Amino acid sequence: MNFDFTKHNIGNTDRMIRAIVGAALIVAAFLSGSWLAGLIGAVLLGTAYFRFCPAYGLFDFSSDKDAPPVSK
């Protein structure tokens, strides 16, 4: 497990996909009234903003190609 929040583990492509899907889910939540979609969208936007995904840290994975390899 690697939960160092100062090291990014989300790459640029992954970040853009998370931001677009997160924003779309928040808009869908406002239109349909589904709070769950809004919550998932907020989590996706948060992980895109901070460039850190706790699930990636749990499995020692990184989609950021510029970051140094994750040490085990």
Side-chain angles (χ1 to χ4, degrees):
M1 273 188 247
N2 187 8
F3 284 113
D4 187 4
F5 296 106
T6 60
K7 295 181 181 174
H8 303 298
N9 63 2
I10 295 179
N12 289 333
T13 305
D14 192 5
R15 184 179 186 192
M16 292 303 297
I17 292 170
R18 286 173 186 259
I20 292 168
V21 172
L25 282 173
I26 290 175
V27 169
F30 278 114
L31 295 177
S32 69
S34 172
W35 63 271
L36 184 59
L39 179 66
I40 294 170
V43 168
L44 287 174
L45 278 179
T47 57
Y49 178 76
F50 290 111
R51 296 185 70 184
F52 180 80
C53 178
Y56 282 5
L58 180 66
F59 295 109
D60 290 331
F61 178 77
S62 177
S63 65
D64 189 5
K65 301 303 179 200
D66 296 332
V70 178
S71 63
K72 294 190 177 192

